[in-house]
Amino acid sequence: MADATTAAKQRIDRALAALERRVMDIKARSAAATVAEDDLFAAHDPAAATRIAELEAAGREASDALSRAADELRHMLSGAD
């Protein structure tokens, strides 16, 4: 059980690290953008649409990774009973 718990913790740690890297990358690109480029609600712009899609994809990926890790932990913990 300890090995499975350790493996699950490592998966969660990797998922969180990946999410952290994505957020930092998005923040860095946002900081480099001009004010007009940073306004997601300005006139529809293909670059803004791309950024929105990237943010949505990163959010979905992070959510899926954390969901899988949580499911695995639940499964392991239910087997411990």
Side-chain angles (χ1 to χ4, degrees):
M1 176 68 179
D3 289 337
T5 303
T6 300
K9 182 187 178 307
Q10 289 171 344
R11 287 185 64 191
I12 290 172
D13 288 343
R14 284 192 304 270
L16 289 173
L19 175 60
E20 208 168 54
R21 283 191 303 273
R22 294 283 301 240
V23 168
M24 291 173 73
D25 178 51
I26 290 169
K27 282 183 178 181
R29 285 190 285 149
S30 177
T34 64
V35 174
E37 292 172 349
D38 199 33
D39 186 0
L40 297 178
F41 301 101
H44 189 63
D45 170 12
T50 301
R51 287 184 59 215
I52 291 169
E54 288 173 355
L55 290 169
E56 290 173 346
R60 282 190 300 274
E61 288 173 19
S63 176
D64 291 345
L66 291 174
S67 177
R68 286 190 306 273
D71 288 343
E72 186 173 325
L73 276 175
R74 283 188 204 99
H75 175 73
M76 287 187 302
L77 292 174
S78 69
D81 294 341

